[in-house]
Amino acid sequence: MHIQNVVERVSIVMATTKSRTSSFSRNLTAVPSSTNPGLKYGPNGTIFMSSGIPDLDKILGGGFPLGSLVMVMEDAEAPHHMLLLRNFMSQGLVHNQPLLYASPSKDPKGFLGTLPSPGSAKDDKSRVRDPEQEKGLRIAWQYKKYFGEHQQSFDSNKDGKHEYCNDFDLRKPLERHFLNSHHIDCVSIQETQDLAALRNRCATFLTQFPRNDGNVSPAGRIAIQSFCSPQCEYSNMEWDMLSFIRSLRSMIRSSNAVVFLTFPPSILSPSFSRRWQHMADTLLSVRAIPDEDKELAKLLTGYQDMVGLLNVQKVARINTQVPVILEATTFSVKLRKRRFLVLECLNQAPIDGSSGSSYGTSATCSGTSKSGTLDF
Amino acid sequence: MNQRPSNLLDEALGLVDDGSKAWPLSGRVVLVEDRVETSAAFVLHHLVKRALSPHSSNVVVFLALSQPFSHYDRLLRKLGCNLAAQSENNRFFFLDMLMSEFPDGDEGGLVALYGKIEKVVSSLLQENKKCITIVVDDLSLMEAAANGSSNYVLDFLHYCHTLTSAFGCTLVALNHEDIYLSMERPALILQLEYLADILIKAEPLATGLATDVHGQLTVLNRGMWDGHGSSRNRICNFHFRVKENGVEYFSPGSMA
């Protein structure tokens, strides 16, 4: 309580002495600090919030920037996007960041019971950071300098509450007191015919996190699951859905919040799928790995432990024109000890150079017929 | 005639360094196309910076549907262009259209927007401004704002085109080409490509992603005067690497 007052007073003082905005002044709206571990400074005046998956934060150069739209393209054959969604939601609740959750199910509240809890200290201490594995993680090259500063927040888990990014234990449900807070708003979008109501709900929610100078406010999270799912009544209204995403994107630009939206691209027409992909600041896609695929087993090392594949199609470029080029864009999704989500750079078994295409060549999501098993 | 272009893109566009010549893009329509894999936003930023160079008195009217002012301000500063200052000097007009909607049949929508732009242009012409560059970032968002009524968007662009032919304005528009690839008869992009005097297309490299080369640009310049009294179409292709303070352009296979 006392610490919070001090932080508030300090920011008010800084706000009044602050002159006209220059590109060198920091945005003090939501101050990342030891009392606010849920946020972290990034390059170009951005502030990150964690995805809830330590490896993903590293790959993306810190996390999800406030004011951005994250979209995940689902695979109709497997629910791996739910792993990303759950960790995103849990991370926000652990950090006391208000959450608005919209889902096509009739009772979205029920889903909250499946959210994971941060792993206990003894689990994390035993997590051996294999240096070989460490090298395998490809970090966006221009962010390496930032990674070094915050090394400690990625490693040892001193106290779950003070970590920027927790290592969530998928077998342990989130403690009830996190779910009983008044910070969670759930919406079912199954019966929604008119997206205007959902838009207003989001707009109202976002008024809690305005991006003004000198205003200390928490950050917020909006999680929207399977947005164009055929169960939803509006799912054949393509322009209306696009319009909704556009206004959500515009609203988020002036908020200290992140929207995390998943959708099955196969439901959309190709041109609309592309329109949605252009809307995203950070674009990910997940894909199931078929069981007992002998071809794939030959191609990939550690195939038996993989539950799916994650592809990073686009990384947010806020306040900059420089694209983020990752050394690798395809990662395997594994469960360490069957509990903790890890992403590993794909280790392709050596292939005959004259045949097959290198996995590095294609990060496209277009429906090309030439796609290999790893192109998606 | 020995011209010293700043880089391959400026050379392809006919933009000279000293600004003593008239703005060569006057009266021309520039269409910039890109894809999810390779963004061409940097081309818009470059054109804004060139238009606002201290040697000229050009004015930029920027229709922003994609990002807020803070985004462009911050990144243009690194390119050596202060948008906030230019705005105060009435050389940069920023229209924040992030939340704008142009629903069907609404006369107050795109028509009103055109009216606003036309007013700005007329008042600037009375002040004897040499050239006004209208930039649209981006057209696919304008279509979304019009809820799919591409006809309204096309009408709006045709109106803006009259400004280029009547008053020598420059119209620069960004659109995402890959959206239209699977459509049977995408009127918007077909008409735009027909209308455009200069077509700048950004694509990924055929060989895929690379850290040192971000993509390739193809510039089609229709009716470029070659200094001997005749005009011809000119097509250039080169690679680029985008940095915070500028963009490097180089011929395929040669790293600067």
Side-chain angles (χ1 to χ4, degrees):
Chain A
M1 235 5 223
H2 170 68
I3 296 169
Q4 198 164 354
N5 288 342
V6 169
V7 169
E8 278 174 17
R9 266 185 276 133
V10 166
S11 349
I12 289 166
V13 165
M14 283 172 127
T16 50
T17 54
K18 196 172 156 139
S19 54
R20 204 165 65 104
T21 322
S22 76
S23 61
F24 301 108
S25 65
R26 283 178 166 175
N27 182 354
L28 295 172
T29 307
V31 182
S33 65
S34 56
T35 53
N36 192 358
L39 299 173
K40 186 161 81 167
Y41 284 119
N44 304 315
T46 54
I47 296 176
F48 287 127
M49 65 160 58
S50 171
S51 63
I53 303 165
D55 289 341
L56 186 58
D57 280 354
K58 277 203 194 76
I59 293 163
L60 295 177
F64 300 140
L66 296 186
S68 72
L69 171 58
V70 181
M71 290 172 73
V72 180
M73 296 193 286
E74 303 171 16
D75 181 349
E77 307 204 348
H80 298 313
H81 56 282
M82 303 298 277
L83 294 171
L84 304 180
L85 183 68
R86 283 196 188 96
N87 281 37
F88 174 77
M89 289 168 67
S90 279
Q91 186 67 81
L93 295 178
V94 164
H95 283 310
N96 248 342
Q97 292 164 343
L99 171 71
L100 173 64
Y101 169 57
S103 125
S105 108
K106 274 211 158 79
D107 176 35
K109 267 203 158 68
F111 180 69
L112 300 178
T114 68
L115 295 182
S117 180
S120 56
K122 62 173 167 68
D123 286 316
D124 285 309
K125 276 210 186 95
S126 62
R127 178 180 183 181
V128 175
R129 286 311 229 120
D130 180 4
E132 283 307 300
Q133 226 181 28
E134 190 71 29
K135 277 191 216 141
L137 282 173
R138 299 286 186 256
I139 303 163
W141 59 272
Q142 65 259 51
Y143 292 120
K144 276 189 175 147
K145 54 184 176 183
Y146 294 98
F147 169 58
E149 287 170 21
H150 298 100
Q151 182 81 42
Q152 75 276 15
S153 61
F154 288 134
D155 294 338
S156 65
N157 187 1
K158 290 160 278 215
D159 179 343
K161 277 197 286 267
H162 291 240
E163 289 298 301
Y164 167 73
C165 179
N166 294 98
D167 213 358
F168 287 96
D169 183 344
L170 298 174
R171 284 192 173 180
K172 209 169 88 171
L174 197 56
E175 289 153 37
R176 287 233 69 84
H177 69 90
F178 285 116
L179 302 179
N180 290 335
S181 82
H182 55 279
H183 282 157
I184 310 176
D185 202 1
C186 291
V187 184
S188 169
I189 50 180
Q190 198 186 98
E191 318 258 291
T192 311
Q193 283 171 323
D194 180 5
L195 285 167
L198 181 61
R199 185 194 303 203
N200 291 337
R201 198 82 178 257
C202 292
T204 312
F205 178 77
L206 289 174
T207 53
Q208 301 172 68
F209 323 103
R211 192 179 296 187
N212 301 319
D213 290 335
N215 183 18
V216 177
S217 63
R221 296 180 184 229
I222 295 181
I224 301 179
Q225 181 190 327
S226 301
F227 184 57
C228 58
S229 163
Q231 306 162 267
C232 304
E233 299 208 15
Y234 59 80
S235 62
N236 57 346
M237 296 154 62
E238 292 196 306
W239 283 109
D240 287 46
M241 289 195 288
L242 184 70
S243 181
F244 171 82
I245 293 177
R246 178 188 164 245
S247 49
L248 193 56
R249 180 184 180 274
S250 298
M251 288 192 284
I252 208 80
R253 283 287 190 266
S254 51
S255 310
N256 285 322
V258 169
V259 173
F260 186 96
L261 185 147
T262 77
F263 72 101
S266 50
I267 305 290
L268 299 170
S269 63
S271 83
F272 270 91
S273 176
R274 280 273 152 170
R275 284 184 193 273
W276 287 38
Q277 290 170 39
H278 276 287
M279 291 276 182
D281 296 303
T282 301
L283 180 65
L284 310 170
S285 57
V286 288
R287 189 176 162 199
I289 290 191
D291 293 331
E292 311 290 326
D293 185 327
K294 292 197 172 60
E295 284 301 313
L296 220 45
K298 271 192 269 178
L299 213 53
L300 303 169
T301 55
Y303 161 74
Q304 315 82 275
D305 303 323
M306 297 179 191
V307 297
L309 296 172
L310 174 87
N311 197 296
V312 180
Q313 312 279 11
K314 198 166 44 152
V315 180
R317 293 178 298 245
I318 309 260
N319 295 341
T320 179
Q321 63 176 14
V322 183
V324 175
I325 308 291
L326 301 176
E327 285 176 33
T329 55
T330 308
F331 301 87
S332 61
V333 181
K334 291 185 180 176
L335 292 178
R336 196 184 86 245
K337 292 186 191 169
R338 309 227 175 130
R339 298 165 126 194
F340 303 101
L341 200 58
V342 292
L343 301 173
E344 282 180 5
C345 189
L346 276 192
N347 266 323
Q348 202 170 2
I351 52 169
D352 178 5
S354 60
S355 69
S357 53
S358 153
Y359 77 90
T361 55
S362 164
T364 64
C365 25
S366 56
T368 55
S369 53
K370 79 153 186 79
S371 56
T373 47
L374 300 175
D375 301 341
F376 62 102
Chain B
M1 184 156 290
N2 251 350
Q3 296 169 3
R4 281 281 213 94
S6 323
N7 53 50
L8 287 172
L9 178 61
D10 287 336
E11 183 190 319
L13 298 174
L15 293 174
V16 289
D17 226 354
D18 55 10
S20 56
K21 280 189 128 187
W23 177 244
L25 298 181
S26 186
R28 313 192 83 199
V29 176
V30 182
L31 177 62
V32 184
E33 293 181 338
D34 68 1
R35 329 176 133 223
V36 172
E37 299 84 18
T38 311
S39 165
F42 68 89
V43 176
L44 290 190
H45 308 149
H46 177 76
L47 289 174
V48 168
K49 181 195 163 172
R50 291 312 304 267
L52 293 176
S53 80
H55 302 295
S56 67
S57 61
N58 291 0
V59 175
V60 173
V61 177
F62 198 96
L63 277 61
L65 293 113
S66 181
Q67 308 286 2
F69 180 76
S70 54
H71 170 90
Y72 300 106
D73 185 31
R74 216 168 169 119
L75 74 87
L76 259 299
R77 266 177 218 265
K78 288 180 227 167
L79 297 177
C81 178
N82 188 332
L83 290 182
Q86 300 283 20
S87 194
E88 282 176 16
N89 295 338
N90 285 337
R91 285 192 65 190
F92 183 75
F93 291 83
F94 186 82
L95 277 72
D96 185 328
M97 294 168 54
L98 277 171
M99 301 297 299
S100 303
E101 311 251 314
F102 310 110
D104 317 22
D106 190 327
E107 281 298 311
L110 285 170
V111 174
L113 175 65
Y114 172 73
K116 214 194 254 187
I117 296 170
E118 205 248 340
K119 221 187 255 180
V120 171
V121 169
S122 322
S123 63
L124 286 170
L125 288 170
Q126 281 171 358
E127 294 171 32
N128 230 359
K129 297 293 178 187
K130 281 204 194 118
C131 185
I132 299 142
T133 303
I134 303 163
V135 183
V136 185
D137 182 12
D138 60 69
L139 286 173
S140 68
L141 289 170
M142 195 175 269
E143 273 189 297
N147 217 33
S149 305
S150 310
N151 296 335
Y152 291 121
V153 178
L154 267 173
D155 288 345
F156 171 80
L157 289 168
H158 282 299
Y159 288 141
C160 289
H161 185 231
T162 63
L163 294 175
T164 66
S165 41
F167 302 124
C169 295
T170 305
L171 177 61
V172 181
L174 173 66
N175 205 355
H176 304 307
E177 173 203 28
D178 52 356
I179 291 173
Y180 305 92
L181 289 177
S182 56
M183 289 170 67
E184 260 202 34
R185 206 184 157 275
L188 181 70
I189 201 140
L190 288 175
Q191 291 202 29
L192 269 176
E193 287 184 352
Y194 178 76
L195 208 60
D197 299 296
I198 300 174
L199 188 50
I200 304 175
K201 205 184 274 208
E203 288 168 302
L205 294 177
T207 46
L209 296 175
T211 49
D212 50 355
V213 181
H214 295 157
Q216 53 176 319
L217 266 189
T218 307
V219 181
L220 168 62
N221 198 334
R222 295 182 177 127
M224 195 163 162
W225 300 95
D226 63 0
H228 296 305
S230 59
S231 77
R232 55 188 171 83
N233 286 359
R234 188 176 164 189
I235 192 159
C236 307
N237 175 268
F238 41 88
H239 292 177
F240 62 86
R241 181 171 82 182
V242 184
K243 302 183 302 186
E244 295 281 4
N245 62 353
V247 182
E248 283 175 2
Y249 304 96
F250 37 91
S251 315
S254 71
M255 266 289 302

